[in-house]
Amino acid sequence: MNFKNILKYLLSLAIAGGLLWFTFQQSHLDAADLWQKIKGADYRWVLLSAVFTIVAHWSRAERWRILLEPVVQQRPASLDTLASVLTGYLANLALPRAGEVVRCGTLYRLTGRTGVPVPVNVSFGTVVAERLFDLLMLMLLLGATFILEFDRLSQFFMEFLGGKLPKGSSGTGLLLLAAAIIAGLILLSWFLFNRYRAALGRHPLYQKVSAFAKGLLEGLLSVRKLRRPGAFVFHTLLIWTMYYLMSFSLFLAMPATADLGPLAGLTILVVGSLGMAAPTPGGIGSFHLLVGQVALLYGLTSQDGQVLATFIHGVSTIMIIILGILSLLFVLFRNTKTTDLPDVLDDPKAIKLER
């Protein structure tokens, strides 16, 4: 790990720690009270949540196989994609967004042992495509939640974002200024690229990056060549249904939240997903802050909201650690190294070059 990655990791840890400290200070919840309430949970619901979690991860691995089918010579085995997905989730707990690279590198190593390896840049392109569909699903769920719970969510976002803009500033004006700056940077980059394209084309690093980008684009466009579009849609819906049931079953495990209805589960799924997308290890801090705050809209106390957020996040994290370690053991059993991943710029076998 180089200095830049260490700095990014320390920064993400600092953000996570700061948010976590802030949320617990706001709720006046100490460790003893937290542990006492978690001990009182009905762990039969936790076991059911664990089953939903496993189904969700299996479904994600199967959906990835469907995306890979049209762009690889040999479809990877189900266990290989599942182990790669779970290893990537484990890596995300250490360094945000590193999991996608680890996932693709692990699949490259695993498939190389049993047949034709899946190039890292191609599989990474399919991961990007997968994330775009997840983003679309999240936006659809967010829209549905706003329609069903408009009064609660509008109140939440107005209170949560209130006062964040500089005094006297206009949100529209700031948005237009940001758009103008981004457009200017894009135009400047395009001008410089066209002017120095010939010189760049002769540089070895540019050639490697270009080859990687072409493979990435091929993987991204794999959705246009799906051989089983119906199965892809089915697994997309199954993944998010399992995510909902994972968290809602944990509502039923806690006495203080057992009476919350299905709409509360939908709201917390959407808001929690936004928290997990923040640049903190495993969504630590950001998930607790958002879920703890939105739980107040359903009549929970600040303490019970933080207990719920910590409980859901804790169970999810423990499941990732257990399943991730089992996946690492599987990878090691297959006589591969997950810590020695291919460098997508230096290993020609890991990059699908244009013929």
Side-chain angles (χ1 to χ4, degrees), residues 127-175:
V127 171
V128 174
E130 185 186 39
R131 292 305 186 197
L132 290 176
F133 275 92
D134 284 334
L135 179 61
L136 175 62
M137 281 297 300
L138 181 58
M139 292 300 102
L140 290 174
L141 288 173
L142 182 60
T145 307
F146 256 108
I147 292 172
L148 296 170
E149 295 281 71
F150 179 78
D151 290 339
R152 282 194 174 102
L153 280 182
S154 58
Q155 175 189 345
F156 168 73
F157 282 108
M158 288 297 293
E159 291 178 355
F160 188 76
L161 298 176
K164 298 295 189 296
L165 294 176
K167 191 174 181 179
S169 64
S170 165
T172 304
L174 290 175
L175 185 62

Side-chain angles (χ1 to χ4, degrees), residues 36-97:
Q36 195 63 34
K37 292 188 177 184
I38 288 179
K39 279 201 306 182
D42 185 345
Y43 281 86
R44 291 174 297 180
W45 290 109
V46 176
L47 290 176
L48 184 60
S49 178
V51 173
F52 293 141
T53 301
I54 293 170
V55 174
H57 294 331
W58 166 80
S59 185
R60 180 171 291 281
E62 286 300 302
R63 188 180 67 170
W64 193 26
R65 290 179 75 219
I66 295 170
L67 274 173
L68 287 166
E69 281 177 352
V71 293
V72 297
Q73 298 181 40
Q74 179 178 322
R75 187 176 66 174
S78 294
L79 278 178
D80 288 348
T81 52
L82 181 58
S84 300
V85 166
L86 293 173
T87 304
Y89 281 150
L90 188 63
N92 269 337
L93 292 180
L95 187 64
R97 307 281 77 86

Side-chain angles (χ1 to χ4, degrees), residues 106-128:
T106 303
L107 184 66
Y108 169 74
R109 294 289 189 175
L110 287 173
T111 53
R113 287 286 176 176
T114 57
V116 181
V118 176
V120 172
N121 52 337
V122 174
S123 62
F124 192 79
T126 60
V127 171
V128 174

